[in-house]
């Protein structure tokens, strides 16, 4: 499976590794894993990302080696590298501002990913949709190359598996994700430390806003639909950011008997941002599509043009219908 990738690595010296916009734990972890492997093999390697590294992952890059968000100067340097390695993405349109310099560069192209695809963007592609995470694949690459696994690479790859499986909750190809995680633990990864670094980053303001939102918890559909609402006033009074509401809706799904969870957030522009969650057998994507939004079967969203009260009335009714 890795023969072609190995051949490209063996026959080149400089590598630029990148991934999708708004990098997450798996894209950052996989990119760092590849970068560390290449450096251990005596190669020149650099990771570049379109957007900044979220706070949850900056600990993986204490010296700021990752070029993120990429500056014009960074982008200017990319064209001269021998090889472009794209991890955790397989479409050029996922690369934001980095698309043009990377796609048009004369470099050899390699893709390592686990997302479904329509057509290959690189002649050398390892895309395994059954893998839990790209990090799991990168571990396999490092292992099969016999390259040293540095402590930093091990932390990075464990982070990728942890976050893409949502703490081993959704383990596609479950045995492999756990087996790879076990090997990473054997190599010295401290799971408590990684979890703490990745998940315990709340601010006091966000936590207070969550408290205010949870005090407004409401039910409909005989307790099968739970919803929260966050007003502009609540955000301003707590000193939180609108983006701090990310993840609040997941709390509704921890309630016994709830099959659909919804959060309504008043946006600055006067719209209402809606996020929906559901149990595996219930499709909230169709509810979101009906509102002009979309997403996945069990996690979807939409933007409502109207008041908070109108949004609640419309969307909770649609949710009850979807039960
Ligand atoms: Mn991934």
């Amino acid at each position: 499976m890795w023969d072609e990738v190995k051949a490209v690595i063996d026959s080149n010296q400089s590598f630029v590794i990148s991934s999708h916009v708004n990098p997450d734990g798996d894209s950052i972890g996989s990119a760092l894993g590849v970068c560390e492997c290449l450096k251990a093999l005596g190669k020149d390697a650099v990771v570049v990302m379109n957007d900044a590294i979220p706070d949850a992952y900056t600990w993986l890059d204490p010296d700021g080696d990752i070029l993120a968000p990429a500056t014009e100067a960074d982008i200017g340097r990319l064209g001269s590298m021998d090889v472009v390695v794209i991890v955790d993405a397989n479409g050029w349109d996922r690369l934001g501002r980095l698309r043009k310099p990377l796609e048009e560069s004369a470099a050899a192209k390699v893709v390592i990913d686990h997302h479904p695809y329509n057509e290959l963007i690189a002649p050398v592609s390892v895309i395994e949709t059954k893998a839990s995470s790209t990090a799991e694949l990168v571990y396999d690459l490092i292992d099969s190359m016999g390259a040293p696994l540095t402590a930093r690479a091990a932390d990075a790859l464990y982070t990728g598996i942890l976050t893409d499986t949502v703490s081993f909750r959704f383990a596609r190809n479950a045995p492999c994700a756990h087996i790879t995680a076990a090997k990473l633990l054997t190599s010295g990864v401290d799971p408590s430390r990684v979890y703490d670094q990745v998940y315990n980053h709340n601010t006091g303001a966000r936590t207070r806003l969550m408290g205010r939102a949870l005090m407004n918890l409401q039910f409909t559909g005989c307790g099968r639909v739970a919803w929260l609402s966050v007003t502009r006033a609540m955000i301003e009074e707590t000193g939180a950011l609108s983006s701090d509401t990310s993840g609040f809706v997941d709390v509704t799904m921890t309630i016994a008997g709830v099959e659909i969870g919804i959060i309504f957030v008043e946006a600055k522009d006067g719209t209402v941002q809606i996020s929906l969650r559901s149990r595996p057998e219930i499709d909230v994507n169709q509810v979101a599509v009906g509102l002009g939004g979309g997403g996945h079967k069990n996690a979807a969203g939409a933007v409502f043009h109207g008041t908070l009260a109108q949004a609640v009335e419309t969307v909770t009714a649609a949710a009850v219908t979807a039960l």
Side-chain angles (χ1 to χ4, degrees), residues 20 24-27 30 87-89 113-115 131-135 160 164 172:
H20 55 76
D24 58 13
D26 191 30
S27 56
S30 299
V87 295
D88 203 41
D113 189 24
H114 69 134
H115 293 98
S132 68
S133 51
T134 302
D164 254 32
R172 283 165 289 179

Side-chain angles (χ1 to χ4, degrees), residues 186-303:
T186 304
S187 78
V189 170
D190 176 349
S192 312
R193 174 170 167 265
V194 176
Y195 188 95
D196 190 53
Q197 293 283 0
V198 170
Y199 292 113
N200 297 342
H201 278 276
N202 286 336
T203 60
R206 179 181 185 270
T207 307
R208 278 198 197 92
L209 181 64
M210 185 189 278
R212 295 282 299 270
L214 293 176
M215 285 299 289
N216 281 353
L217 176 69
Q218 310 273 348
F219 296 93
T220 186
C222 302
R224 296 166 73 194
V225 176
W227 54 274
L228 304 171
S229 56
V230 176
T231 63
R232 287 310 308 165
M234 287 160 62
I235 293 170
E236 279 154 24
E237 284 161 21
T238 53
L241 307 168
S242 298
S243 57
D244 283 334
T245 58
S246 162
F248 287 6
V249 67
D250 297 311
V251 179
T252 61
M253 300 308 288
T254 67
I255 303 165
V258 168
E259 294 169 50
I260 294 178
I262 314 168
I263 187 167
F264 300 90
V265 180
E266 274 186 335
K268 267 191 185 143
D269 63 5
T271 62
V272 180
Q273 313 272 342
I274 298 156
S275 292
L276 301 126
R277 297 287 184 274
S278 63
R279 300 287 173 218
E281 62 281 7
I282 293 178
D283 185 358
V284 283
N285 186 43
Q286 48 138 338
V287 176
V289 168
L291 297 161
H296 304 281
K297 185 182 177 191
N298 303 128
V303 176

Side-chain angles (χ1 to χ4, degrees), residues 28 53-60 159 163 194 196-201:
I28 295 162
I53 304 300
D55 290 345
Y57 308 114
T58 51
W59 66 284
L60 288 169
T159 297
T163 54
V194 176
D196 190 53
Q197 293 283 0
V198 170
Y199 292 113
N200 297 342
H201 278 276

